[in-house]
Amino acid sequence: MSDYAHVPGGKLKLKGDDGKKKKKKRSHTTDDRARREADVEVAEKRAVAVSSSSGSKDKERERDRERDYDSREREDESAASPAPTGRRMTDAERRFEETQRKRREERARKGAHLTHKERVNAFNKKLDSLSEHHDMPRIGPG
């Protein structure tokens, strides 16, 4: 019994555990808003500078181009990040989302012109073309 008399107390010590807690990072949504506002101001200044150096028709064209460009950028940002998490998508993620969207649209276009009866017939043809390996096994007597 003397071998088991001493029992150490306290919690287990783990490697790399200093007992310090990591601080959570704050989201930088306010920084993103400020950056967007600054971009809009720069675009407006650019439009004013261009308008002062060219004719009135050219001014209107440039303003329209700037507005279209800014609106497209806002649409791209809103489409790229559906939730305002503050996380930016990488190029690969953006391409992946785009291909997924295209595939969904293609699938919807394919199925949109078929009636229910035509879909059922197509499904039955597909099942008939499969090998016997895919048949349901017979269960029970008979």
Side-chain angles (χ1 to χ4, degrees):
M1 284 287 196
S2 64
D3 291 338
Y4 301 104
H6 174 64
V7 178
K11 65 179 189 174
L12 293 174
K13 307 272 185 179
L14 301 174
K15 277 188 175 180
D17 185 22
D18 299 336
K20 298 178 183 176
K21 292 185 177 180
K22 293 183 180 179
K23 292 183 179 180
K24 292 183 179 179
K25 293 183 180 179
R26 295 185 326 174
S27 66
H28 300 286
T29 55
T30 56
D31 294 339
D32 292 340
R33 287 184 199 135
R35 192 176 303 122
R36 280 190 220 119
E37 289 172 2
D39 290 343
V40 169
E41 289 176 11
V42 168
E44 289 173 357
K45 287 179 183 177
R46 196 178 305 143
V48 169
V50 169
S51 65
S52 64
S53 64
S54 62
S56 63
K57 289 182 182 178
D58 294 338
K59 291 178 190 178
E60 291 176 18
R61 288 183 195 149
E62 283 296 323
R63 280 190 217 132
D64 291 341
R65 286 182 192 152
E66 289 291 331
R67 286 184 197 134
D68 291 343
Y69 180 74
D70 290 340
S71 65
R72 273 188 254 126
E73 279 186 341
R74 288 186 200 118
E75 289 173 1
D76 290 345
E77 288 177 4
S78 65
S81 59
T85 58
R87 183 180 172 277
R88 294 180 181 254
M89 295 177 76
T90 62
D91 291 337
E93 289 173 328
R94 208 172 288 114
R95 285 193 306 266
F96 174 76
E97 292 290 330
E98 182 66 23
T99 54
Q100 290 292 323
R101 185 183 61 77
K102 285 180 182 176
R103 286 179 184 163
R104 279 194 303 269
E105 289 175 359
E106 180 65 30
R107 208 174 304 128
R109 261 190 262 120
K110 257 186 202 175
H113 69 278
L114 293 176
T115 64
H116 177 71
K117 188 174 185 178
E118 291 171 339
R119 283 193 204 114
V120 169
N121 288 336
F123 182 67
N124 286 334
K125 284 181 187 176
K126 179 181 174 185
L127 290 178
D128 288 340
S129 68
L130 294 176
S131 67
E132 292 180 13
H133 171 74
H134 296 284
D135 286 348
M136 293 292 293
R138 213 172 194 184
I139 299 173

